[in-house]
């Protein structure tokens, strides 16, 4: 074991084209200092810190203003583990993972750590954090605390090609975090292996303005618990949402898209475009596509707007339960829910005070355009009321020519 205490000093590269600090194997702790000033030279991959098959801990450090060539301007970690505790990673540059790049590494960010203001430079990349293989964990490090102390923000905030965070074929347990104002997607997840599970707990996604705050394209299981999606907006014309999109998992080639669960999450004041190309149905809050099997339990959708105000589903199997509330959402096809295809079952929900202003067919509450739609009102756990279509009451629109409808009346 080796501990390097910088005692408030700066650690910089000795020459252009060299990393400031390189670790090969072993267990190393670096604390109380700044790693800065790495400058690329040609196509040599360098970083502020580079580790290979080592177990590294950074405590109370700043990793700033390092410029790499391709991978990991601030930190590059391959194999082993890499933990940041109460650290700041900022103003670093590289093509992939400008702040942090992890390859088959167990990366953990905890305490009051911040990854912000980093700049990546390629499609399907990330300005903040790029993880390929391995695992990604965040947390506040305080047992019993719900404080969201980890921040990942303002990484490529206006980019139309580069994400804030990109997780590729890895597992993740992200909690106690604020993820805000990143672009292209705030967080993009692509898992082609069913064994990789993704969990978000007590995370805020806010103020993203290019595409979805969180885009999940995964064959593995996905859960979001006690998460808030607030004030996200986007200008895309795709079939996605401003807040969360459970996307195309290519399930037709590889099988099931895994189980997706949203529990006690809030979707508040998210906005999607309404003037889009033909066939696109962007929603303000949530879009569920392809063969995703999704349960929505005890969530809140309030004040969202788009072509579909709150929830758009297509080719998916969706169950809504646990007194999920859709309230005061606005759309041009559906204020609350648009079921285009697949199967949607509503067994526990309140759908109220949603609005549609449109010349197209639709409903302020629920618009069923295709697929199978089931609503169980017999247990008294479903209420649909006070929804408007062009200022007139219309809670439901059922396209019976293209849908299979099963509605059990209230007892």
């Amino acid at each position: 074991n080796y501990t390097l205490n910088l005692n408030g000093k700066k650690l910089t590269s000795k020459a252009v084209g060299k990393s400031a600090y390189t670790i090969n194997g072993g267990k190393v702790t670096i604390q109380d200092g700044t790693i800065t000033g790495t400058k690329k030279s040609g196509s040599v991959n360098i970083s502020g810190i580079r580790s290979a098959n080592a177990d590294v801990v950074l405590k109370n450090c700043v990793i700033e203003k390092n410029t790499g060539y391709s991978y990991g301007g601030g930190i590059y970690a391959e194999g082993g583990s890499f933990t940041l505790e109460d650290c700041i990673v900022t103003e670093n540059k590289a093509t992939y993972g400008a702040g942090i790049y992890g390859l088959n590494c167990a990366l953990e960010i905890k305490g009051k750590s911040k990854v912000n203001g980093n700049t990546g430079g390629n499609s399907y990349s990330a300005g903040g954090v790029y993880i390929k293989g391995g695992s990604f964990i965040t947390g506040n490090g305080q047992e019993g605390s719900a404080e969201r102390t980890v921040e990942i923000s303002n990484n490529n905030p206006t980019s139309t090609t580069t994400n804030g965070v990109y997780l590729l074929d890895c597992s993740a347990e992200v909690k106690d975090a604020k993820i805000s104002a990143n672009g292209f997607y705030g967080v993009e997840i692509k898992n082609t292996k069913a064994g990789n599970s993704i969990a978000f707990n007590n995370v805020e996604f806010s103020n993203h303005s290019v595409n979805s705050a969180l885009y999940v394209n995964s064959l593995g299981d996905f859960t979001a618990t006690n998460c808030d999606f607030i004030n996200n907006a986007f200008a895309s014309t795709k079939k996605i949402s401003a807040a969360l999109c459970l996307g195309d998992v290519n399930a037709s080639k590889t099988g099931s898209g895994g189980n997706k669960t949203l529990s006690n999450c809030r979707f508040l004041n998210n906005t999607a475009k309404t003037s889009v190309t033909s066939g696109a149905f962007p929603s303000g809050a949530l879009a569920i596509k392809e063969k995703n099997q999704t349960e929505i339990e005890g969530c809140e959708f309030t004040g969202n707007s788009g072509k579909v105000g709150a929830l758009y589903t297509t080719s998916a199997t969706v169950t809504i339960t646990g007194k999920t509330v859709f309230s005061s959402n606005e759309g041009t096809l559906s204020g609350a829910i648009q079921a285009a295809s697949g199967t949607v079952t509503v067994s526990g929900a309140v759908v109220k005070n949603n609005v549609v202003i449109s010349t197209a067919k639709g409903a302020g509450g629920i618009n069923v355009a295709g697929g199978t739609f089931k609503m169980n009102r017999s247990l008294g756990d479903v209420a649909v009321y006070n929804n408007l279509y062009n200022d007139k009451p219309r809670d439901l629109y059922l396209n019976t020519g293209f849908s299979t409808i099963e509605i059990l009346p209230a007892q």
Side-chain angles (χ1 to χ4, degrees):
N1 297 351
Y2 176 70
T3 297
L4 173 61
N5 192 331
L6 295 175
N7 293 312
K9 296 180 180 180
K10 292 184 178 181
L11 181 63
T12 62
S13 175
K14 294 181 178 180
V16 173
K18 299 289 185 179
S19 297
Y21 200 78
T22 300
I23 304 166
N24 291 304
K27 295 182 178 181
V28 177
T29 298
I30 303 174
Q31 62 189 40
D32 300 330
T34 299
I35 295 95
T36 187
T38 298
K39 296 180 180 180
K40 68 178 181 179
S41 176
S43 59
V44 178
N45 284 317
I46 61 170
S47 309
I49 299 177
R50 293 182 70 85
S51 71
N53 301 313
D55 296 319
V56 181
V57 177
L58 293 188
K59 292 183 178 180
N60 194 32
C61 287
V62 177
I63 299 90
E64 67 175 2
K65 298 179 181 178
N66 299 284
T67 301
Y69 173 66
S70 288
Y71 301 98
I75 296 169
Y76 177 95
E78 182 174 352
S81 65
F82 203 108
T83 300
L84 295 90
E85 182 176 351
D86 298 328
C87 292
I88 296 174
V89 181
T90 186
E91 295 185 59
N92 301 284
K93 296 180 180 180
T95 304
Y96 300 94
I100 304 170
Y101 182 90
L103 176 62
N104 299 320
C105 174
L107 176 70
E108 182 174 5
I109 302 176
K110 65 181 183 179
K112 296 182 179 181
S113 292
K114 296 181 180 181
V115 181
N116 56 27
N118 301 284
T119 305
N122 206 346
S123 299
Y124 306 106
S125 178
V129 180
Y130 189 123
I131 306 296
K132 183 177 181 181
S135 62
F136 180 51
I137 296 174
T138 73
N140 60 29
Q142 304 170 32
E143 187 173 351
S145 172
E147 186 178 0
R148 293 166 174 168
T149 59
V150 175
E151 295 184 15
I152 303 175
S153 63
N154 292 297
N155 300 286
N156 289 89
T158 61
S159 174
T160 58
T161 58
T162 304
N163 305 310
V165 177
Y166 188 54
L167 306 180
L168 175 62
D169 288 334
C170 68
S171 61
E173 184 179 348
V174 180
K175 63 181 182 179
D176 307 329
K178 293 181 180 180
I179 301 174
S180 64
N182 302 287
F184 165 60
Y185 295 111
V187 178
E188 182 177 6
I189 298 167
K190 185 176 182 181
N191 274 335
T192 60
K193 301 175 182 178
N196 290 321
S197 62
I198 303 291
F200 286 82
N201 190 342
N202 189 37
V203 177
E204 176 186 304
F205 296 86
S206 61
N207 299 313
H208 295 91
S209 61
V210 183
N211 262 323
S212 298
L214 174 58
Y215 186 93
V216 181
N217 183 353
S218 177
L219 288 174
D221 293 343
F222 167 85
T223 60
T225 306
N226 299 322
C227 293
D228 294 330
F229 298 82
I230 304 173
N231 294 330
N232 299 287
F234 77 109
S236 173
T237 60
K238 299 180 180 180
K239 295 182 181 180
I240 58 177
S241 73
L244 170 60
C245 182
L246 303 179
D248 181 2
V249 296
N250 205 12
S252 60
K253 295 182 180 180
T254 53
S256 171
N259 296 315
K260 312 294 189 293
T261 304
L262 309 178
S263 180
N264 298 317
C265 294
R266 299 190 304 163
F267 296 80
L268 309 177
N269 302 320
N270 301 286
T271 304
K273 286 188 68 174
T274 57
S275 300
V276 297
T277 56
S278 177
F281 301 92
S283 69
L286 173 61
I288 305 174
K289 300 170 59 180
E290 306 308 326
K291 294 184 179 180
N292 286 293
Q293 302 176 47
T294 304
E295 180 176 0
I296 302 170
E297 179 182 10
C299 295
E300 177 187 352
F301 298 81
T302 300
N304 304 286
S305 63
K307 197 166 184 178
V308 178
L311 169 62
Y312 172 77
T313 73
T314 177
S315 303
T317 300
V318 180
T319 301
I320 303 171
T321 186
K323 288 294 186 181
T324 292
V325 175
F326 297 85
S327 177
S328 303
N329 303 286
E330 182 174 337
T332 57
L333 283 178
S334 174
I337 301 171
Q338 171 91 0
S341 59
T343 300
V344 176
T345 301
V346 181
S347 60
V350 176
V351 183
K352 64 178 182 179
N353 303 329
N354 302 284
V355 175
V356 160
I357 303 297
S358 177
T359 58
K361 296 177 180 180
I366 302 172
N367 184 16
V368 182
T372 299
F373 179 77
K374 302 178 181 180
M375 186 163 66
N376 185 353
R377 302 177 67 188
S378 63
L379 300 178
D381 290 334
V382 176
V384 185
Y385 60 93
N386 289 347
N387 300 286
L388 299 178
Y389 174 81
N390 291 333
D391 296 324
K392 297 179 180 180
R394 184 181 290 179
D395 293 321
L396 295 170
Y397 180 81
L398 308 176
N399 190 335
T400 56
F402 294 91
S403 307
T404 300
I405 311 296
E406 179 183 317
I407 298 178
L408 298 180
Q411 292 182 349

